[in-house]
Amino acid sequence: MQYLSTRTPSHRVSLSAALQDGLAPDGGLYVPARFPDLGPDAFEGCATIEAVAERLLRPFADGDPLADSLPAICAATYGFPVPLRPIGRRTHVLELFHGPTAAFKDVGARFLADSLARLNEDADQPLTILVATSGDTGAAVAAAFWKKPNVEVVVLYPRGKVSARQEKQLTGWDTNVQTVAVRGVFDDCQDLVKQAFRAPTWQEHLRLSSANSINIGRLLPQMTYYAHASLQHWRAHGTAPNVIVPSGNLGNGLACLYARACGLPIGEVVLATNENRPVTHFLETGAYEAFDTEETLATAMDVGDPSNMERLRHHWPSAEGLREVVGAERVTDEQIGEQIRRGPDLWDTVWDPHTATAVEARDRLDPHDEHDWILAATAHPAKFPEVVEPRVGHTVDVPEPLAEVMARSHAVPEIAPDLDALWDTVAAASTVASGA
Ligand SMILES: *Cc1c(COP(=O)(O)O)cnc(C)c1O
């Protein structure tokens, strides 16, 4: 399988190169050159999610140095359950939050971490991954790369601009994962990462890479839980379930569309967004427009210009064509709050603010609709106690893996938003940069 850049389709690279580069040299995003044909029969004998993942991803790694390691990478990606739980009214919840940081981003981050560690096993110098985070991505990436050999990670977050619980998830790491608190906002952190990639000193002393959400190595593994869930449903009922995906940067929704394009039994796909309108506006008007980001209760979906829109439009160039493959529902903060409040009574479930957008989209569908629906639950409600607890009227227990991460939280260095300050901090911790 080859991967091509959305901006220069003739520029083609292997899976390994796409994973290591992140972004194509022309600034485009890597997409698979084709989708393999894998209907339900192709998965005969694949009972576990690891087995389904291995079967589905095999053609995507075909001819690549990682191909032989694929079973091991898929095993390292999961190791936690991804249950499909029926909750009544032809509705099932796909719980994507049983990983170490209690959100679906664990899956993509762990696949990428294991792949990059394998690719760098024999390198003379470790790979240094820089990540700027406003919260959840950084925690998933830090957890995934922690203690991986020959890879070092530097996570930058804006001090005081993330919730107390998020800060604990970002600062529970050591050895090869260094967290740095920046006196600034998220954009300052992002800027520092960009500056580092251009700075001669950094280029000279370190092998830099990134693990941000536009890396195809985070998108591909996300197909696997939709594959597993739809096959479970297909085997039990003989029908293809529809799926609703809470969406912001569109990586998770796109993975669901990719899984269906490979032949998995998935019916309609609906993207549920918060009040940010780039997706619904594009589908309604046919003209893509970026918007200023609006802050909502579903913070991880606060995106005004989703990067994966470029992939979506590469595969389905017209809004008309896109409307045929995907729907979208925009959900207000008031509706998110109301769905969380009613969750325990109506669905016997405490929803997190992101999943609540999917529940609202489900509610809007025709009550006589005869299809089965799967709601992707993207995070555990305990990650967002400030939003959830006042609405359901009780505290929400923190799941064990996340509690373990937060219990390790410790003081981290704090710097001004300045590249020299960051270099001093990184060099002090890194064996390579300090020449030790
Ligand atoms: C990142 C995130 C989303 C949005 O996913 P995209 O792939 O960016 O569309 C939704 N819910 C939660 C909890 C997230 O962390």
Side-chain angles (χ1 to χ4, degrees):
M1 176 75 76
Q2 290 188 308
Y3 294 80
L4 52 89
S5 164
T6 46
R7 300 198 186 164
T8 318
S10 59
H11 175 79
R12 292 179 175 228
V13 300
S14 67
L15 175 64
S16 299
L19 298 191
Q20 305 230 57
D21 293 354
L23 210 60
D26 60 4
L29 307 188
Y30 286 117
V31 294
R34 60 180 186 84
F35 292 108
D37 188 6
L38 295 168
D41 291 349
F43 294 88
E44 236 171 66
C46 299
T48 63
I49 195 163
E50 288 86 353
V52 169
E54 189 190 326
R55 180 69 196 93
L56 174 59
L57 295 178
R58 203 185 300 153
F60 288 91
D62 188 35
D64 194 81
L66 284 174
D68 290 344
S69 313
L70 197 59
I73 297 170
C74 291
T77 298
Y78 285 103
F80 53 84
V82 185
L84 183 63
R85 190 168 63 82
I87 55 168
R89 293 202 282 154
R90 313 208 71 142
T91 307
H92 308 252
V93 188
L94 180 60
E95 295 185 351
L96 303 175
F97 51 70
H98 294 283
T101 69
F104 81 91
K105 290 192 176 75
D106 283 325
V107 173
R110 283 159 67 91
F111 181 91
L112 183 63
D114 204 68
S115 300
L116 288 183
R118 280 168 198 280
L119 288 172
N120 288 283
E121 235 159 30
D122 302 322
D124 298 335
Q125 193 188 351
L127 195 65
T128 301
I129 311 253
L130 296 179
V131 205
T133 186
S134 53
D136 289 335
T137 300
V141 168
F145 281 89
W146 191 42
K147 296 187 175 168
K148 289 278 185 206
N150 230 12
V151 195
E152 295 187 351
V153 177
V154 182
V155 180
L156 306 177
Y157 77 95
R159 163 130 293 172
K161 301 289 191 292
V162 304
S163 75
R165 204 166 269 187
Q166 274 177 327
E167 187 160 32
K168 282 192 179 166
Q169 292 163 42
L170 288 168
T171 56
W173 314 102
D174 53 20
T175 61
N176 66 324
V177 177
Q178 192 184 11
T179 304
V180 180
V182 176
R183 287 192 290 271
V185 293
F186 170 67
D187 285 330
D188 295 315
C189 300
Q190 184 115 303
D191 233 38
L192 279 175
V193 170
K194 288 184 185 157
Q195 286 178 42
F197 271 91
R198 290 194 304 259
T201 326
W202 288 70
Q203 289 295 349
E204 196 181 311
H205 292 276
L206 301 171
R207 288 175 56 227
L208 294 178
S209 185
S210 75
N212 57 25
S213 60
I214 47 104
N215 195 309
I216 191 76
R218 288 181 51 181
L219 217 153
L220 295 176
Q222 290 172 182
M223 294 189 292
T224 63
Y225 43 73
Y226 293 115
H228 183 58
S230 67
L231 286 167
Q232 267 179 284
H233 192 279
W234 177 265
R235 287 165 183 162
H237 308 285
T239 56
N242 298 338
V243 183
I244 307 177
V245 185
S247 295
N249 217 11
L250 300 178
N252 203 8
L254 192 59
C256 188
L257 295 177
Y258 275 16
R260 189 179 60 189
C262 294
L264 282 144
I266 294 169
E268 274 179 61
V269 177
V270 175
L271 308 175
T273 75
N274 60 24
E275 285 182 61
N276 286 277
R277 52 175 76 236
V279 181
T280 44
H281 180 269
F282 178 54
L283 284 176
E284 280 159 19
T285 65
Y288 180 68
E289 211 179 301
F291 290 82
D292 286 340
T293 301
E294 285 184 45
E295 289 182 23
T296 75
L297 292 176
T299 49
M301 291 160 39
D302 289 348
V303 184
D305 185 10
S307 11
N308 279 303
M309 188 57 95
E310 185 162 336
R311 283 194 174 108
L312 210 58
R313 296 175 71 195
H314 169 87
H315 297 293
W316 298 279
S318 72
E320 239 162 63
L322 193 59
R323 267 196 295 266
E324 282 169 21
V325 298
V326 72
E329 296 287 334
R330 180 168 160 262
V331 177
T332 65
D333 266 4
E334 199 182 326
Q335 290 163 332
I336 290 175
E338 185 59 15
Q339 289 295 351
I340 296 173
R341 199 181 60 72
R342 302 193 313 192
D345 280 345
L346 283 186
W347 302 103
D348 201 17
T349 303
V350 177
W351 302 115
D352 93 282
H354 307 84
T355 309
T357 63
V359 184
E360 169 69 20
R362 172 74 187 95
D363 260 11
R364 289 180 193 172
L365 299 162
D366 181 353
H368 304 297
D369 182 280
E370 289 293 298
H371 293 97
D372 287 323
W373 289 84
I374 291 178
L375 313 182
T378 50
H380 192 284
K383 291 193 79 148
F384 309 96
E386 303 85 351
V387 177
V388 173
E389 291 180 354
R391 289 178 174 81
V392 296
H394 59 80
T395 57
V396 180
D397 288 343
V398 176
E400 188 52 36
L402 188 62
E404 274 173 31
V405 168
M406 297 200 308
R408 285 195 305 266
S409 169
H410 54 78
V412 300
E414 184 179 322
I415 62 165
D418 171 79
L419 192 63
D420 290 335
L422 180 61
W423 176 256
D424 291 343
T425 311
V426 170
S430 159
T431 48
V432 180
S434 64

